[in-house]
């Protein structure tokens, strides 16, 4: 399947393009649930990727890892917003997680905890105890580009696939624009 200038094929057929946790999570998936395409790793970041591969930022979803704190407890969650939107970290996300303090997780820590690469972190294959907050505009989108866990590839999935993920909750967490 072609999307933008990329040619996608079933991700289950190409585990070499996926981070290990992502490949494990997709091992039993239907081949039509997640498609994968190899990309130039130097173009993995949203703006460069979209410009080069002729894909609108609105057709991609960024996976942002947040670190929540309340008292002595610290926990992590993933938030999915379309590439054209911003995450409402200090509003909707902080309230939903019932966190006293919420921040973007330090990148080194996010990489270590997820087993994925910067610029490729994806909700597919995250630790099983993490909540995945999916913006309602992501959940209703027909086809979205997301990370594959590596900088070498991108996944093409439906919003409904993301919304049906284990630990996923759909709610308005994005600031449009």
């Amino acid at each position: 399947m072609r999307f933008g200038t990329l040619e996608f094929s079933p991700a289950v057929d190409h585990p070499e393009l996926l981070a290990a946790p992502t490949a494990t999570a997709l091992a039993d998936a239907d081949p039509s649930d997640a498609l994968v395409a190899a990309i130039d790793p130097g173009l993995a970041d949203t703006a460069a990727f979209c410009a080069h591969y002729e894909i609108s930022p609105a057709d991609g979803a960024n996976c942002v890892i947040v670190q929540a704190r309340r008292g002595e407890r610290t926990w992590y969650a993933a938030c999915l917003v379309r590439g054209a939107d911003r995450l409402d970290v200090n509003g909707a996300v902080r309230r939903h997680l019932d966190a006293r303090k919420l921040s973007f997780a330090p990148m080194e820590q996010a990489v270590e905890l997820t087993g994925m690469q910067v610029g490729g972190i994806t909700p597919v294959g995250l630790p099983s105890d993490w909540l995945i907050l999916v913006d309602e505009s992501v959940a209703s989108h027909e086809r979205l580009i997301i990370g594959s866990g590596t900088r070498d590839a991108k996944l093409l999935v439906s919003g409904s696939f993301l919304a049906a993920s284990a630990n996923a909750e759909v709610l308005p967490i994005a600031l449009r624009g």
Side-chain angles (χ1 to χ4, degrees):
M1 167 185 241
R2 195 164 186 79
F3 195 71
T5 61
L6 292 171
E7 191 64 41
F8 286 84
S9 56
V12 295
D13 295 342
H14 296 283
E16 74 281 1
L17 294 176
L18 310 172
T22 307
T24 299
L26 290 174
D28 295 325
D30 184 299
S32 65
D33 283 344
L35 305 176
V36 68
I39 66 164
D40 178 338
L43 299 170
D45 296 325
T46 304
F49 171 81
C50 290
H52 184 79
Y53 293 106
E54 300 176 16
I55 294 171
S56 168
D59 287 329
N62 290 327
C63 184
V64 179
I65 305 301
V66 295
Q67 181 182 58
R69 293 189 194 117
R70 178 171 278 287
E72 297 297 314
R73 182 175 173 237
T74 299
W75 69 99
Y76 298 88
C79 302
L80 287 169
V81 294
R82 289 185 341 170
D85 296 335
R86 292 178 297 125
L87 182 63
D88 185 8
V89 175
N90 291 313
V93 176
R94 186 181 61 75
R95 283 190 304 274
H96 187 76
L97 293 176
D98 193 29
R100 182 142 168 66
K101 182 174 182 170
L102 187 74
S103 59
F104 296 110
M107 195 50 67
E108 290 174 3
Q109 197 167 31
V111 166
E112 181 182 328
L113 293 171
T114 64
M116 299 178 195
Q117 297 176 345
V118 173
I121 293 177
T122 182
V124 181
L126 288 176
S128 62
D129 60 339
W130 286 21
L131 189 60
I132 300 171
L133 303 181
V134 181
D135 185 67
E136 57 194 5
S137 69
V138 169
S140 65
H141 214 71
E142 186 179 333
R143 294 183 298 186
L144 289 157
I145 299 286
I146 62 171
S148 67
T150 73
R151 293 183 64 86
D152 299 53
K154 293 288 185 183
L155 293 175
L156 182 63
V157 298
S158 68
S160 60
F161 172 78
L162 296 171
S165 300
N167 299 335
E169 293 184 25
V170 177
L171 63 155
I173 58 169
L175 299 169
R176 307 292 173 233

